[in-house]
Amino acid sequence: MYPYLPVTSEERRRMLETVGVESIEELFVDIPSVVRCKGRLNLPGPLSEMEMVRHMKALAGKNKNLDDYACFLGAGAYDHYVPSIINHILLRQEFYTAYTPYQPEVSQGTLQAIFEYQTMICELTGMEVSNASVYDGASALAEAVAMACQATRRGEVMLSRTVHPEAREVVKTYSRFSGVSIKELGCQNGLTGLREAEERINDQISAIVVQNPNYFGALEDLTKFAELAHRHKALLIVSADPIALGLLKPPGETGADIVVGEGQTLGNSLSFGGPYFGFMATTEKLMRRLPGRIVGQTTDSEGNRGFILTLQAREQHIRREKATSNICSNQALCALAATVYLTVLGKKGLRRVAELCLQKAHYTYRSLLETGKFAPTFTAPFFKEFAVTSQEDTAVVNARLMENKIIGGYPLDRDYPELKNSLLVAVTESRTRDEIDRLVKYSVITK
């Protein structure tokens, strides 16, 4: 029995005749012959199902994985613990197979889950309105910049250089053809230059954009940037780590106008870089400028609680030129994972996770400095991630760590050439005392 139905010679001939060619080779004539594979693919012969499963497991076993390796790599994606209950909920067929709710009246369960998600994001960020998530944290930041420019009718944005480098690139890509000018703000001691911002801000600036904790893990003074932005009738956009909000004051209470961030840390595994989702919240005043959709709560004619799609500024529902974003089947399942995660942990649980990250990161930082082989790259306060400068080449340090089943920090000179031999080290609640001590030990052994 064949596991698939092959095309017969006669069917192949009729298809080629329909498209007007005589052979399959003619379909690939536009591909230069020098880059085309000649002959058969280098694959093993036919295997039984049992043999194939064994073969695929052997291939997968070659990957470095978080079951066998201790991970201190962050820089935007973090190895937080994912409670097993999350998959038990996500894999229920009513969630796992659900498409975007085009007929919202028959999607009450999906709408309720999104409504609960929005509510928790508002509580976490201290904002009044949240949308139903966007593609990822970087696109959420770019959408926030576009939103600020439309709301203020200004065309310039001050973007801190301590914002994730890849997120800054996405913002620039989004802004390339929209007439928005991006002005980068420098950093001092790992923090956004407030004095530089005060000197450069003008009445054309629509928003100041900062990340907190920033890319170096350092904690920014959001209140001062909010005061500066509002003094010039601009907005403050904050990209936040949601785990840090278990301890830190919500950005909304510091004066932020739009709060965005990457939601991977909320119950989503690393998964080779995705899919993730971006959260996005703002004030009621800016509610109608939020991209995507908002689920609202109401009652039916009999007084029963129900949920509806309240606002959705999508190009399918309004004039294309008035749409704020093209968001269809976004990462709703990832956002649902965040909803389950926050529900399971509750306020006390999220605070405990944040405390463990803080304590373990500072223990790691002190232990590395005590070896005498590392120096602080910055002295600003940090949360779960920090930068240290090694006396050795970071590639050598990381190679040695990898030999001992430890995934080391991120070499900062890839994005900041002036920070040679600096490593960005992330420590989550998942790291044990033994793993941290091994990191310190193998970071300094030179033989």
Side-chain angles (χ1 to χ4, degrees), residues 153-173:
R153 297 185 178 181
R154 297 176 177 179
E156 297 182 11
V157 171
M158 297 178 81
L159 177 62
S160 172
R161 200 160 173 260
T162 66
V163 171
H164 196 301
E166 293 173 2
R168 281 188 278 133
E169 287 302 309
V170 172
V171 170
K172 291 173 185 175
T173 301

Side-chain angles (χ1 to χ4, degrees), residues 72-127:
F72 291 87
L73 183 63
Y78 301 93
D79 180 27
H80 287 287
Y81 182 71
V82 179
S84 57
I85 191 174
I86 290 178
N87 265 350
H88 285 286
I89 301 294
L90 287 190
L91 299 183
R92 289 178 64 93
Q93 61 181 3
E94 56 268 44
F95 285 126
Y96 202 60
T97 61
Y99 191 52
T100 192
Y102 279 116
Q103 292 79 38
E105 67 278 9
V106 296
S107 305
Q108 287 295 300
T110 300
L111 293 183
Q112 180 175 356
I114 295 175
F115 180 81
E116 302 293 353
Y117 161 81
Q118 294 172 177
T119 303
M120 284 188 261
I121 291 297
C122 286
E123 291 180 352
L124 200 58
T125 58
M127 306 305 289

